[in-house]
Each structure stands twice: as structure tokens, then as C-alpha cells.
């Protein structure tokens, strides 16, 4: 997290800004709403007439939304008014059609509303110049609506880093191909691609065979051209795990290698000072890659973009017997018990069980312990689900 980076800002049209991080204040260019606005279809009246006992009003005209208001002329008149229209200056209450009987141009009240009913008053949401949206927040569909309402067609957002997702290993083939008995298809790269697309990032996909010279050549290119590399595989202790050695040859500082956790123990992180490139090198097993992305890369990205990283906790719905000297990240399914968010373990077949990820809503983190985490214990939660 100490290697968080600032990649600057860029201007985007609001059609392309959803899910990006806002980099400026958005101010109200006029009062919100800008006029007294009818919130129901009905009639606009001056309530003084009701106070004087009048329950029948002559309809003096009809006022749709989007046109200048007309006057009542006198308090015994009313104006038929549509939702969104400007309430006349000499009216102070809107009576909805459901509470009226209209015959031969006369509107009779079946029910007397309170004074001021069904009017959204000018400036009652915010005044001109008020801060409507603040920097370092994710732009939601609701934010887009606010920006459109103040004429903000172009908005300043945080730039996203350029990222390359790099898979390694001779055993991997493209997903369109039929693998031989000793091969498997590339899956980690596409899981990472999909995870990054949720952040608005379209990464460059590369693959490295277990050839030291090819690895050196392609990594040198990627380091010079990209802000971040996400690698999958090649960082364990096998004879063909060349990445740590090659990265060292290319001048990448080894910040750390290996973490006391399961899965993802071989995780490697480094930084190229001259190119300012960060390298997240995840273990090759699918669950290890997935966990490492959400535990390390995503919090780093959000900090780099200025987003707050809230702590999330859930309640164990069952006892968990740990007996480990490593921190453990376990796949879980969310549930509700008496209004409280609970989790149950998703039992997989180790860090190579890709299918177990499809049944998980996220991971819980359990610190090293020789014994049980009892049902009802509050534990940290890392969500990964897409709803």
C-alpha cells in the first residue's frame, strides 16, 4: 500500500464516466429544484380560499410541465397542473386528481389536503453553488443524473493505470484450442481480465512460455510500456519458475516474496524505479491468483485512485477448525440470520479448484490459530461477488 501511485486525471463525457472516480467538485448551477414544482397531477390553489370555507374552484386553465406559469387571477379559481410543472406564484397547494370531482369546469374537493401539499419547493434540495458531488467518489448512475441536471457534459476523473495481465507456463493453451492430455486452457488471465473490467480497465493480455530469454524480452517490453503488470504463475520454487530471477535481471526491486498465508504463499511484489512500473506476481493456482488480486491488487488500486477502503466484517454461521500458523483466506457464501450478515464455508478442493470460486461471495480472513473459530465470531470479509 505504500507504493500507491497518482496517475493524474483526464476529461470524459458523462456517457463514459460511470464507475470512474470523480476528480472534481460538481456544484449546483442553480437552485435544486429551480422552481416550485408540482409533484402530482391535479389542481393548484391558493389555500387561503380553503381557510375561508371554499371547497369548489373554477378551472381557469391547464398548466403542463415545460411552459411558463399562469396566474390564478383570484383565489376562487384553480389551475389544472401536471407533475413537473411550475406552480403559479399565487398558488401554494396542489390537490391531486384522486381527491377531486371535476364537472363542467368546476373542481370540487373530496378531501382537504394540508397547506403546501404536493409541491417540491425551489431550493429545498440544494441552493445554487452547493457541492452536489465530491472528489474521490465512484461515479454512479445517480451521479450521472446529477451531472446531467447541472449541465456537466464533461467531467474530470482519475486516470486508470495501464495494465498488462501476463500468464506463464508451457502447459497453457488458448481457450479456443482443444488441450492435449498434458495441457490446460488459460483461465487465470481471463479471470483477471474480468475483474479489471469491473474497475473500468481493459488490460493487455500476454502469455510467456517457460523460456528464460522469451520471458526476459517480453517482460522488458511490458515494464517499459505499462504502469502495472499482473503475472500469474512462475514465482514458486520449481525449476521453471524463472520470474524472480528475470525480474531481478531487468532491474525490478524485489519488495517482498512469499507471504505467511494460504492460499497465495508464493506471492511476489516488486517495483521498477526508472519505469515506475509495479509488478504483482501471483501464484499460478486459480484460487491463489483470485485471492491475491482481491487481497493485494484491488486495495492498492483503490488507494491509488483516492478511494476509501472500508473494513467489512461478517459473522461465522458455523464453527471453523483452523489449526494453522498461516493466515487463511477461505471462500464463503453470504446469508442472513435475524437481520445479521453471516457466512458459511464453501468447501473446495484446494487452491486449484476454480469451480469453488463460482459458489463463493468472497473470502474471510482468519489469523493463525490452533483451534476453533466459534460460530458467531466476527471476522474480516473480502467481497468478490457480482450482483
Amino acid at each position: 500500500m505504500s507504493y500507491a501511485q497518482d496517475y493524474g486525471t483526464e476529461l470524459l463525457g458523462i456517457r463514459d464516466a460511470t464507475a470512474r472516480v470523480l476528480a472534481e467538485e460538481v456544484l449546483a448551477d442553480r437552485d435544486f429544484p429551480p422552481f416550485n414544482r408540482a409533484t402530482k397531477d391535479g389542481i393548484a390553489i391558493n389555500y387561503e380560499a380553503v381557510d375561508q370555507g371554499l371547497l369548489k374552484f373554477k378551472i381557469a386553465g391547464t398548466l403542463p410541465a415545460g411552459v411558463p406559469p399562469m396566474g390564478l387571477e383570484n383565489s376562487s379559481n384553480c389551475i389544472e397542473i401536471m407533475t413537473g410543472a411550475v406552480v403559479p406564484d399565487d398558488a401554494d397547494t396542489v390537490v391531486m386528481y384522486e381527491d377531486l370531482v371535476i364537472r363542467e369546469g368546476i373542481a370540487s374537493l373530496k378531501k382537504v389536503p394540508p397547506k403546501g401539499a404536493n409541491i417540491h419547493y425551489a431550493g429545498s434540495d440544494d441552493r445554487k453553488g452547493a457541492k452536489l458531488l465530491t472528489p474521490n467518489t465512484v461515479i454512479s448512475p445517480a451521479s450521472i443524473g446529477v451531472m446531467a441536471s447541472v449541465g456537466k457534459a464533461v467531467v474530470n476523473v482519475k486516470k486508470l493505470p495501464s495494465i498488462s495481465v501476463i500468464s506463464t507456463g508451457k502447459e497453457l493453451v488458448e481457450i479456443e484450442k482443444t488441450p492435449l492430455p498434458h495441457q490446460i486452457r488459460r483461465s487465470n488471465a481471463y479471470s483477471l481480465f474480468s475483474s479489471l473490467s469491473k474497475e473500468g480497465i481493459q488490460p493487455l493480455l500476454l502469455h510467456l512460455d517457460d523460456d528464460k530469454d522469451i520471458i526476459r524480452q517480453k517482460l522488458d517490453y511490458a515494464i517499459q510500456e505499462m504502469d502495472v503488470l499482473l503475472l500469474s504463475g512462475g514465482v514458486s520454487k520449481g525449476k521453471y519458475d524463472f520470474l524472480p530471477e528475470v525480474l531481478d535481471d531487468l532491474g525490478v526491486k524485489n519488495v517482498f516474496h512469499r507471504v505467511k498465508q494460504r492460499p497465495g504463499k508464493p506471492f511476489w511484489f516488486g517495483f521498477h524505479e526508472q519505469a515506475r512500473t509495479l509488478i504483482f506476481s501471483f501464484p499460478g493456482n486459480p484460487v491463489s491468483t483470485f485471492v491475491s488480486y482481491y487481497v493485494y491488487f484491488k486495495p492498492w488500486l483503490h488507494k491509488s485512485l483516492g478511494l476509501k477502503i472500508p473494513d467489512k466484517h461478517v459473522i461465522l454461521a458455523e464453527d471453523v477448525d483452523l489449526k494453522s500458523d498461516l493466515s487463511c483466506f477461505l471462500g464463503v457464501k453470504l446469508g442472513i440470520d435475524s437481520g445479521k450478515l453471516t457466512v458459511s464455508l464453501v468447501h473446495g478442493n484446494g487452491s486449484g479448484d476454480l469451480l469453488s470460486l463460482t459458489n463463493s461471495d468472497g473470502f474471510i480472513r482468519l489469523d493463525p490459530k490452533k483451534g476453533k473459530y466459534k460460530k458467531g465470531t466476527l471476522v474480516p470479509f473480502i467481497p468478490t461477488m457480482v450482483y
Side-chain angles (χ1 to χ4, degrees):
M1 297 300 279
S2 66
Y3 283 82
Q5 305 291 306
D6 184 351
Y7 294 104
T9 63
E10 62 181 336
L11 294 174
L12 285 182
I14 64 169
R15 293 181 183 180
D16 300 315
T18 302
R20 296 294 296 271
V21 177
L22 189 62
E24 63 172 307
E25 290 180 340
V26 175
L27 307 179
D29 64 336
R30 54 180 182 164
D31 289 347
F32 264 60
F35 50 80
N36 291 342
R37 171 183 170 273
T39 62
K40 293 286 194 305
D41 299 322
I43 61 171
I45 63 172
N46 187 311
Y47 205 81
E48 181 181 338
V50 176
D51 287 336
Q52 294 172 358
L54 188 65
L55 298 178
K56 295 184 178 182
F57 297 85
K58 179 182 177 182
I59 298 174
T62 302
L63 187 58
V67 301
M70 61 181 71
L72 290 176
E73 297 182 1
N74 64 71
S75 61
S76 63
N77 289 349
C78 68
I79 300 288
E80 285 196 75
I81 192 166
M82 305 301 118
T83 300
V86 182
V87 178
D89 288 339
D90 46 4
D92 57 12
T93 303
V94 171
V95 186
M96 58 184 179
Y97 279 132
E98 292 86 339
D99 295 335
L100 299 170
V101 174
I102 298 179
R103 291 192 182 96
E104 299 178 353
I106 301 296
S108 302
L109 274 58
K110 294 191 298 182
K111 180 180 178 182
V112 178
K115 183 177 181 178
N118 303 315
I119 296 176
H120 191 185
Y121 285 95
S124 60
D125 292 346
D126 268 305
R127 291 292 184 182
K128 180 179 179 180
K131 297 176 184 177
L132 305 179
L133 301 173
T134 57
N136 300 329
T137 54
V138 177
I139 297 173
S140 67
S143 307
I144 296 293
V146 170
M147 288 188 280
S149 70
V150 300
K152 192 77 175 170
V154 177
V155 64
N156 202 24
V157 301
K158 295 288 186 73
K159 268 188 181 177
L160 296 167
S162 59
I163 294 180
S164 180
V165 171
I166 304 172
S167 55
T168 65
K170 283 184 178 180
E171 75 278 14
L172 301 179
V173 299
E174 278 301 332
I175 57 176
E176 300 87 355
K177 294 184 177 180
T178 301
L180 297 172
H182 59 279
Q183 295 175 321
I184 57 174
R185 293 185 178 95
R186 285 174 77 195
S187 61
N188 287 352
Y190 290 95
S191 294
L192 291 172
F193 185 97
S194 177
S195 296
L196 289 166
S197 69
K198 288 162 56 180
E199 306 290 343
I201 297 171
Q202 294 296 307
L204 172 68
L205 290 181
L206 295 174
H207 179 71
L208 305 177
D209 282 336
D210 294 325
D211 182 300
K212 194 179 296 187
D213 291 333
I214 293 175
I215 291 174
R216 183 181 289 105
Q217 180 183 352
K218 288 190 176 182
L219 280 183
D220 188 36
Y221 162 80
I223 287 169
Q224 299 305 319
E225 296 296 323
M226 312 301 289
D227 295 317
V228 180
L229 309 186
L230 300 185
L231 294 102
S232 177
V235 290
S236 296
K237 289 192 172 183
K239 289 187 176 181
Y240 294 95
D241 291 330
F242 299 127
L243 284 180
E245 178 186 345
V246 172
L247 289 168
D248 183 64
D249 292 343
L250 293 173
V252 179
K253 175 187 175 183
N254 175 356
V255 178
F256 63 83
H257 184 196
R258 299 170 65 82
V259 185
K260 293 183 71 174
Q261 70 176 59
R262 181 185 294 123
K265 187 176 181 180
F267 175 54
W268 190 100
F269 175 75
F271 181 62
H272 194 286
E273 186 75 37
Q274 184 179 4
R276 308 298 296 172
T277 304
L278 290 155
I279 293 92
F280 294 76
S281 196
F282 305 142
N285 282 322
V287 180
S288 298
T289 290
F290 211 70
V291 166
S292 297
Y293 174 90
Y294 281 96
V295 171
Y296 296 103
F297 172 78
K298 187 171 180 176
W300 169 87
L301 176 65
H302 284 197
K303 184 175 181 182
S304 293
L305 295 175
L307 294 174
K308 292 181 180 178
I309 306 166
D311 288 331
K312 297 181 176 69
H313 289 77
V314 289
I315 297 169
L316 290 179
E318 59 186 284
D319 291 345
V320 179
D321 199 0
L322 193 60
K323 295 180 182 176
S324 175
D325 58 355
L326 304 177
S327 295
C328 291
F329 294 90
L330 306 177
V332 291
K333 195 77 176 172
L334 289 171
I336 298 289
D337 184 5
S338 302
K340 296 178 181 180
L341 205 58
T342 63
V343 290
S344 300
L345 293 186
V346 173
H347 296 283
N349 191 25
S351 59
D353 186 359
L354 180 59
L355 191 59
S356 68
L357 296 174
T358 66
N359 299 317
S360 301
D361 292 317
F363 300 96
I364 55 171
R365 190 195 78 229
L366 300 183
D367 294 330
K369 182 177 181 179
K370 296 191 184 300
K372 285 186 178 180
Y373 276 84
K374 291 188 177 180
K375 177 181 177 179
T377 303
L378 198 65
V379 294
F381 176 64
I382 302 165
T384 62
M385 62 281 194
V386 179
Y387 291 133

